Amino acid sequence: LDDSSCVGCHMTTAARAGAGPFAGEPAVPRRGRSHRLLGPSDAEFCGSGFLFRVERRDGKLGLILTNGAGHGIPGLARLRKFTIHATLRSQDQRDLAHTELVLSSDDRLLVDEERHLPLPIATGAAQVVVRVDHWFLGKTVATVLDKTLELP
């Protein structure tokens, strides 16, 4: 099965029932595809397209977002957008500062693109909490990613 195509990502592999049995032989399971089409309606799958890391460059802190999908984010649907929230948090879990980035059809994250989101200066910051919300038709559909990254 070709895993490098759209189907390779959006329709996971599955063990399918084999044909038969024939002449007393047992049916042998075969490798196939699930017919469940994964896309933006599946939060975990959708979140897997967003890859994050934190870097210090020239004394400034930044959140680096890399496109892990095989296409632009969002895809071709003009009514869809993603809001990336980055909240700097102290060691004792106090929120210190917040910034965000919106990806839409007007400002897509292209294939293999890496985008730098400058983080605000916040004394005592120890980590950044990253949340990605999926919007469709002007409403939040789901949080597709919620993770905490330690600051370097």
Side-chain angles (χ1 to χ4, degrees), residues 2-152:
D2 180 13
D3 289 335
S4 65
S5 67
C6 299
V7 167
C9 283
H10 290 271
M11 295 177 80
T12 59
T13 57
R16 312 214 31 98
F22 299 103
E25 295 178 9
V28 178
R30 59 188 171 86
R31 187 172 167 228
R33 296 274 177 205
S34 163
H35 286 194
R36 181 172 169 246
L37 185 62
L38 298 173
S41 62
D42 184 292
E44 183 179 352
F45 176 77
C46 191
S48 69
F50 297 89
L51 307 175
F52 292 98
R53 71 182 186 281
V54 181
E55 285 186 0
R56 281 195 195 274
R57 292 184 187 172
D58 304 321
K60 296 181 182 177
L61 197 58
L63 181 65
I64 311 301
L65 166 59
T66 304
N67 183 339
H71 51 72
I73 299 173
L76 298 176
R78 292 195 162 287
L79 305 173
R80 192 175 312 284
K81 71 178 182 177
F82 293 93
T83 305
I84 294 120
H85 303 273
T87 303
L88 288 167
R89 192 170 278 169
S90 67
Q91 195 68 35
D92 62 356
Q93 302 301 302
R94 287 181 299 116
D95 290 349
L96 303 173
H98 178 84
T99 190
E100 62 184 48
L101 169 70
V102 177
L103 299 175
S104 68
S105 59
D106 295 328
D107 187 23
R108 297 171 74 217
L109 185 67
L110 302 178
V111 176
D112 297 326
E113 181 182 349
E114 190 172 270
R115 197 161 300 176
H116 182 261
L117 177 62
L119 294 172
I121 297 171
T123 304
Q127 50 194 204
V128 61
V129 178
V130 179
R131 190 182 82 231
V132 178
D133 290 330
H134 172 209
W135 291 72
F136 185 68
L137 293 173
K139 296 179 184 174
T140 303
V141 176
T143 295
V144 298
L145 187 80
D146 193 354
K147 67 187 304 180
T148 302
L149 302 169
E150 298 301 317
L151 299 184

